[in-house]
């Protein structure tokens, strides 16, 4: 069940880092929608590694094949399935990972949950690679939402504690050279969502968005509107005054992030997502041998992304699109 | 659907602030469990207003009546329904609220969603009063979890920016006298949850906990382990080293909050919840007349809780108990 | 989970035959609907025992109290909860039933599933009494559907093999005097459901209707349109020819029961439901002692309904209304 | 949502008759299970057309490719996706079908639901071809159930009203030559399901089984145990006496079909499924032109299966395996 999300639409994500393919099935798309595959491709490109350098050749590799749900590129009402082949699935040397869990990865918890037969290759089903089918689904929902006048956009507000976007690349490069990694915070806004969408209590916009967003690996927190900062404010500071604006009700400020009682107010939905630093670092770390039940030292080799935050921006947009489209249909 | 939560158990909460009763139905309780009603009463007392002063008379009022699911105080496998009568449901003067939404309350969004026939009395279904049945359910699950060696406890880490618990009461009193209100942050830990519980992606522990926690009114953020602070750390600082401890695997630190890849590591589950300041304040505020479509001034009269954070502590524990018990059964 | 039904609305039924109360919570009702409580009362009366004789005094007893979801008799968008008190819950002598399961009742399976603490009093949660809250929910949905031009009506087509409605009462009376019981078949039609409602595969109208209908105790079969008879026909006999009728497409016959590929055709939805004879009979039967693990003879005493089929007619209508309203919202 | 089934496991079926591929994702398989692909292949072969004649070449065509969920043929806990390529997807002439719905097919209801952009090629998502992925899922669950000592087997009890299995082939051949078609009834039994599985009311074994079985195209009825025949029996005839057999409780007869109150009794689960005759027949039929809104004559050309009942036998087993495995995990 863990890989299925949605109430009015359902997305079902499958695959592991080194399985033959990864993909997604979307159940509940309206019939008659012509997917703009160029726009989708451009969107998927944003989560690709090495942007700006090797973009083109990698993009080919991640181009989704649509197995069902379309007739001549137009949705027909049947579930849409898109798959992306894992081209590089040669049996690498994962013997060490099989026995020694990487700190702050899911290696150990996967071992406890799935046992000896878990898929350890490249993180298996916990791999960040699974965000590719999430972005395929999200990319399609972004197109559908745009048609309804709803636009979703995310951006980085902080990487490794640095809020200045010009200094971020240098900080990432410095972490890379140190064999270390950085986390960060992404902010997202959805503009154009009409007032009155959502439900009280357990199916509020916050609940539904959080349910998808925590599906992105490395996310450790989410806050809406003023979020944690609101805890330090007074009601007179945090309350958003209503006023009439051209016949419709608006608020002068948007400390509530567009959501009151779980339901949209018509103001932009705003939220921030905290990403922990990539747990894969080159430095020697303390771990254990699961077979020998003893402490060991672990050095993770190979190339690692010192900061996944830039590539996570479209993932946050995709997750938000899935959640908001789902709630819109309720 | 909005008031139903759970996958393996289901809690279904009903009622409005001024309906004849509020209550909860719990589907999926094991048969043969003797509910300790004294312990439950003590738990429910913690979310009652005016603790320490008028405790006794109020507690009577909120004592749940069990309509089903029990035989001689022991669960029989059938859904358990508990109701709490709303004793004070006299028709107060809500005419003004009916037309003028209170800033940062759900009055306006309820108007858009439900229209003229919404229940405006005391916040209707958006009232904090609905946390009483949540606490009835959570109180029962806390007892069940304790039997499994799992203990959940929450505490206040900050009120209105003040972290010193001795200064908090004075700050609240000061806000009350100023006709203002304060928010705060509650931290919660679940100790004893075995490793290997939870799922990757959309049914991780974080996703499931967030889905319930955002059901508590006034919650605007949630973070696990280091949470938002992790975004400012390096991998070498945030990673939790594994080591052997008496034959079992533990981590030296718990920056991951007991969850890796959505699955429990066996370390305590830790999370923090941000509450916005109570939107009901005595100061005059800007709002609108929904009928006349014009700007108006609103002054909310009557007694208001200047800070709901102390009463929200058991609610957080209750919500956590519901989510964790549900996931344990998967 | 077993007592919750629905995808777009949810009904959650609770109670046992001898618990303080039984009831239902309906989540997802539209706001602004004025329930006609007289009409609802008349509907509930149809499933009451002893119709025509002691109607009045019993009806009082089964009148639902609305605990939530209404303001001045009009739905407000919040979950509606209705409860019916079990007035006759004196501790009868159920010792024998506790140890000796009644043949073809759920006594034995309840014992295996819930163990010693199950509720054996009057069948506990398996009692036909639980169809009262189902009828409360169904009665409300019937009113909502009628507003949409959809009418649902059921009737008895057979009791104990007798299809002539004038001979049925005598057959029931004869069975009563023999200490025996009779089953029967109820046919139901829903007229006015627009074409194009439903889904292929697992959420077709048949699947959804069957899911609710089998929730009525004693149901052992369901068939749509020609049903089992279709198995003996040729395609040329069973196919329903299309033709134009006043600008809209209709079929000359309705062997398909208004459903093709799980989706409504606009023709009346028709289905039949098979009820087994009431398992409570006065004759001595073979059973076992669960404690002594030995064969025993069992004679069930007290008044039993020799045929529940007449009282089940509104239950079938109620179940159909719940399922069809739920699917209509999809 | 329509193509997703399950509470504790989820199967998600996708594809159309002429899409690039059809397939299924199974979420919730236990880790560590080695799928016997030979056994699965043999099972899938049973639903292939032209058994005994062109078996080999067709079987190749329908061999599933596993995209995820396996490591070296063993489940790893991640969702398993299997796809089957549609090799024959050349653009046939569906122009006529596009405008003229075939009687008793889903052509017309699909037109109303999905509009102009529906997939009409070969029945699109309503095609019996979608039972292939159902059988992939069911075949795997049959293997898992067998490991638990549970065996499921179905057989034909009637084709076109003929119960003698030796006369059935001739009846089918006769119908083929007449350009007509036949329906039939399949009986299924699940042996070895322990007592105490299932739930009362909406999640009983009957409800859950019916939900999947009606997902098979052409099914119009289902009955459990004595089913519709029970409606004509007396309680004294239909009741199943309990007796002790080697320390465990059994019933002398199995009129209840192994289910009492929605819960298994430990006796074999038995049910029968009614299939309507294949709607595709060669005879001229009355239909309408959707574009011209006028009556027309339709003659369906090409080869048609005059009776799908023989090929539906493994589909019923597969559907039963999915439902029973799902309920077993509850």
């Amino acid at each position: 069940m863990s890989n299925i999300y949605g109430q009015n639409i359902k997305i079902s994500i499958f695959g592991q880092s080194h399985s033959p393919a990864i993909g997604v099935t979307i159940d509940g798309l309206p019939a008659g929608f012509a997917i703009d595959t160029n726009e989708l491709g451009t969107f998927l490109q944003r989560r690709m590694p090495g942007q700006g350098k090797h973009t083109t050749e990698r993009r080919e590799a991640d181009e989704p094949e649509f197995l069902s749900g379309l007739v001549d590129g137009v949705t027909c009402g049947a579930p849409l399935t898109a798959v992306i082949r894992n081209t590089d699935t040669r049996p690498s040397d994962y013997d060490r990972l099989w026995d020694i869990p990487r700190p702050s990865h899911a290696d150990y918890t996967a071992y406890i949950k799935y046992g000896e037969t878990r898929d350890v290759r490249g993180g298996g089903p916990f791999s960040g690679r699974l965000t590719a089918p999430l972005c395929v689904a999200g990319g399609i929902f972004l197109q559908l939402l745009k048609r309804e006048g709803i636009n979703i956009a995310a951006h980085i507000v902080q990487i490794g504690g640095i809020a200045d976007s010009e200094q971020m690349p240098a900080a990432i490069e410095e972490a890379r050279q140190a064999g270390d990694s950085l986390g960060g915070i992404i902010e997202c806004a959805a503009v154009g969502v009409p007032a009155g969408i959502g439900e009280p209590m357990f199916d509020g916009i916050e609940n539904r968005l959080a349910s998808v967003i925590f599906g992105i690996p490395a996310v450790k927190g989410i806050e809406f509107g003023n979020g944690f900062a609101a805890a330090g404010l007074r009601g007179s500071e945090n309350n958003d005054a209503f006023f009439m604006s051209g016949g419709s009700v608006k608020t002068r400020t948007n400390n509530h992030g567009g959501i009151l009682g779980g339901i949209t107010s018509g103001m932009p939905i705003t939220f921030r997502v905290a990403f922990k630093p990539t747990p894969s670092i080159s430095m020697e770390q303390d771990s254990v041998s699961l077979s020998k039940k003893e402490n060991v030292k672990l050095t993770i080799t190979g190339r690692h992304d010192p900061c996944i935050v830039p590539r996570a921006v479209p993932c946050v947009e995709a997750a938000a699109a899935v959640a908001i489209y789902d709630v819109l249909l309720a």
Side-chain angles (χ1 to χ4, degrees), chain A:
Chain A
M1 284 63 68
S2 59
N3 286 35
I4 298 179
Y5 178 83
Q7 293 183 344
N8 303 295
I9 52 100
K10 299 266 183 194
I11 63 165
S12 167
I13 290 176
F14 52 87
Q16 303 114 254
S17 178
H18 284 59
S19 60
I22 56 178
V24 64
T25 297
I26 312 173
D27 203 341
L29 285 175
F33 183 71
I35 295 173
D36 185 329
T37 49
N38 279 335
E39 189 177 325
L40 182 62
T42 305
F43 179 70
L44 295 177
Q45 204 173 328
R46 287 173 55 203
R47 70 160 287 287
M48 295 289 291
Q51 295 174 54
K53 296 173 189 172
H54 342 275
T55 307
T56 315
E57 61 267 51
R58 297 268 182 135
R59 181 186 160 186
E60 291 309 307
D62 265 12
E63 203 161 328
E65 180 195 6
F66 294 97
L67 296 185
S68 68
L70 297 180
V71 175
D72 298 332
V74 176
T75 58
C76 65
L80 179 150
T81 296
V83 296
I84 298 170
R85 293 275 160 180
N86 285 325
T87 47
D88 178 17
T89 59
R90 65 205 144 90
S92 307
D93 177 22
Y94 287 104
D95 286 357
R96 206 164 151 72
L97 284 185
W98 201 83
D99 190 44
I100 304 175
R102 292 167 297 174
S104 293
H105 269 286
D107 298 349
Y108 173 66
T109 55
Y111 163 73
I112 296 295
K113 185 167 183 71
Y114 302 118
E116 304 288 328
T117 57
R118 72 201 181 279
D119 188 351
V120 297
R121 303 166 302 168
F126 298 92
S127 167
R129 182 147 178 74
L130 272 291
T131 57
L134 174 64
C135 282
V136 172
I140 293 170
F141 287 117
L142 283 167
Q143 293 183 19
L144 279 160
L145 288 169
K146 198 189 288 180
R147 207 174 53 166
E148 308 286 328
I150 298 172
N151 288 283
I152 296 175
H155 67 281
I156 301 171
V157 288
Q158 192 216 91
I159 281 187
I162 293 167
D164 182 326
S165 65
E166 293 188 14
Q167 296 178 12
M168 290 174 188
I172 295 175
E173 185 54 30
E174 189 272 336
R176 182 203 307 272
Q177 285 172 12
D180 215 335
S181 65
L182 297 179
I185 297 174
I186 291 173
E187 188 171 51
C188 186
V191 181
V193 183
I197 306 298
E199 302 279 339
M201 211 161 259
F202 304 125
D203 283 320
I205 303 284
E206 294 105 331
N207 315 55
R208 302 301 299 154
L209 271 168
S211 287
V212 196
I213 291 290
F214 279 114
I216 303 172
V219 170
K220 296 303 275 185
I222 189 167
E223 59 178 6
F224 295 84
N226 271 357
F228 277 86
L233 298 177
R234 293 176 162 241
S236 56
E237 297 167 314
N238 193 61
N239 281 2
D240 295 305
F242 289 111
F243 73 107
M244 296 304 303
S245 167
S248 71
V249 176
K250 295 199 172 158
T251 61
R252 291 237 169 74
T253 45
N254 189 20
N255 300 324
H256 67 293
I259 311 165
L260 290 172
I263 299 171
T264 52
S265 68
M267 296 296 289
I269 298 174
T270 61
F271 63 96
R272 272 171 303 281
V273 183
F275 286 81
K276 70 178 183 183
T278 323
S280 282
I281 56 176
S282 306
M283 298 161 166
E284 187 185 77
Q285 295 181 85
D286 287 340
S287 187
V288 295
S289 162
L290 295 171
S291 60
K292 298 182 190 152
K293 303 236 170 224
E294 63 184 28
N295 295 337
V296 297
K297 297 291 182 185
L298 173 69
T299 304
I300 304 172
T301 55
R303 278 174 25 126
H304 313 295
D305 209 333
C307 183
I308 54 92
V309 177
R311 296 176 56 199
V313 174
C315 302
V316 168
E317 294 173 356
V322 169
I324 289 172
Y325 190 86
D326 186 46
V327 173
L328 264 182
L329 293 189

